[in-house]
Amino acid sequence: MLPDFELCCSKFAEYKIELTEIQYRKFDKYADFLVEYNQKVNLTAITAPDEILVKHFIDSCLVTKFIDLPEKSSIIDVGTGAGFPSVPLIIIRPDLKLTLLDSLNKRIVFLQQLCDMLEIEAEFIHGRAEDFSKMHEFREKFDFSCARAVAELSTLTELCLPFVRVGGTFISLKGPGEDLDPANNAVTILGGKIASVNEYSLEKDERRLICIEKISQTPPKYPRNSAQIKKKPL
Ligand code: SAM
């Protein structure tokens, strides 16, 4: 169970995000369901309510502070796991059109039940990003793609940028420590441009949110298969 409504409001307010009572109730149910489900299926190492609030919910919602997401934009969350960052994002921005993709079916099953319970509309995809972004119906079809804690930036860009239409943006949520320079080559090859690197603190943790704008089509040979990506990152 999350801390009470007033406490959660003041925590969100520290990050300049407003929280309504309806949103609070959804976050509370999400936290309960996550902790309960996590006992049978491994979803997260973060299970203390205060930490779920900050490290999962607020961290995810902070996307809205760094990038404008126009009304009814489409967004695909690649390697979404237990729904981060996109499910908290949808709770505060229910107008967005959400697609959740993960290679582990047990996480997709969790997300289907969660979204059912929270009355969130979404498309669910069980599969690998490198397979689905090659398919006509998913390639360059989204206004935004996003990912948190899935891979290092050059690999992640190969997985996520092909989903984005020219003019759209791939949003990468990162912790500290990764040298971003090696990703420049991948970003250019894949049709992107690093538009911004936003640094901020989440409690005592350093975070970065990187926005990669899609400026031209991704060459058809990308993404390569997972073995090739692993063996020879761009
Ligand atoms: N984004 C979530 C978060 O921040 O809590 C989950 C992060 S978890 C460390 C990484 C997730 O990415 C896992 O659920 C894994 O199954 C998924 N994943 C890794 N590689 C993938 C790929 N190539 N395509 C789709 N999902 C992938």
Side-chain angles (χ1 to χ4, degrees):
M1 201 179 180
L2 286 183
D4 68 26
F5 177 52
E6 279 72 29
L7 259 163
C8 285
C9 274
S10 61
K11 206 71 200 165
F12 269 80
E14 281 177 32
Y15 297 90
K16 303 197 168 24
I17 302 169
E18 262 183 55
L19 184 70
T20 67
E21 196 154 357
I22 291 174
Q23 292 163 352
Y24 167 75
R25 274 194 237 117
K26 291 196 176 193
F27 281 123
D28 194 36
K29 281 189 189 170
Y30 190 170
D32 283 352
F33 191 55
L34 178 69
V35 171
E36 182 199 319
Y37 211 93
N38 201 45
Q39 288 171 3
K40 49 180 180 161
V41 170
N42 177 27
L43 296 168
T44 178
I46 295 169
T47 52
D50 289 2
E51 291 198 27
I52 292 175
L53 175 66
V54 175
K55 294 187 177 171
H56 282 327
F57 295 162
I58 293 179
D59 190 32
S60 299
C61 292
L62 276 170
V63 168
T64 59
K65 293 286 136 190
F66 297 106
I67 181 157
D68 178 39
L69 303 168
E71 187 143 349
K72 297 194 168 73
S73 300
S74 55
I75 184 162
I76 180 165
D77 189 352
V78 175
T80 182
F84 307 116
S86 63
V87 175
L89 209 53
I90 287 293
I91 292 177
I92 62 163
R93 282 289 310 275
D95 59 290
L96 299 174
K97 278 177 59 194
L98 175 62
T99 300
L100 297 158
L101 180 144
D102 202 281
S103 54
L104 272 185
N105 195 42
K106 59 187 181 175
R107 295 191 172 145
I108 292 294
V109 170
F110 162 78
L111 290 167
Q112 283 168 326
Q113 293 181 25
L114 173 77
C115 290
D116 233 27
M117 187 175 78
L118 300 182
E119 296 175 347
I120 289 171
E121 257 184 55
E123 179 174 16
F124 303 91
I125 303 176
H126 165 224
R128 299 196 67 85
E130 52 274 44
D131 298 332
F132 276 82
S133 69
K134 282 215 178 284
M135 296 178 190
H136 175 72
E137 65 261 51
F138 297 105
R139 191 166 182 93
E140 305 196 319
K141 290 291 191 293
F142 294 86
D143 300 313
F144 297 94
S145 62
C146 64
R148 187 184 81 161
V150 178
E152 47 80 36
L153 192 59
S154 64
T155 297
L156 208 49
T157 306
E158 188 165 352
L159 297 180
C160 296
L161 204 57
F163 285 112
V164 178
R165 65 168 173 81
V166 174
T169 303
F170 160 46
I171 306 163
S172 170
L173 285 76
K174 292 248 162 228
E178 185 182 328
D179 178 9
L180 303 182
D181 285 348
N184 278 324
N185 189 43
V187 170
T188 306
I189 291 173
L190 296 161
K193 181 185 96 178
I194 296 187
S196 63
V197 178
N198 307 278
E199 298 186 351
Y200 56 98
S201 304
L202 191 72
E203 309 271 84
K204 292 189 186 93
D205 297 338
E206 287 168 37
R207 291 277 200 274
R208 281 180 297 179
L209 185 140
I210 301 136
C211 295
I212 297 176
E213 209 179 297
K214 179 109 168 211
I215 55 174
S216 61
Q217 282 193 322
T218 301
K221 70 171 179 175
Y222 300 110
R224 297 162 296 158
N225 67 42
S226 56
Q228 288 170 314
I229 296 176
K230 213 171 179 180
K231 196 167 155 204
K232 205 165 180 258
L234 289 174

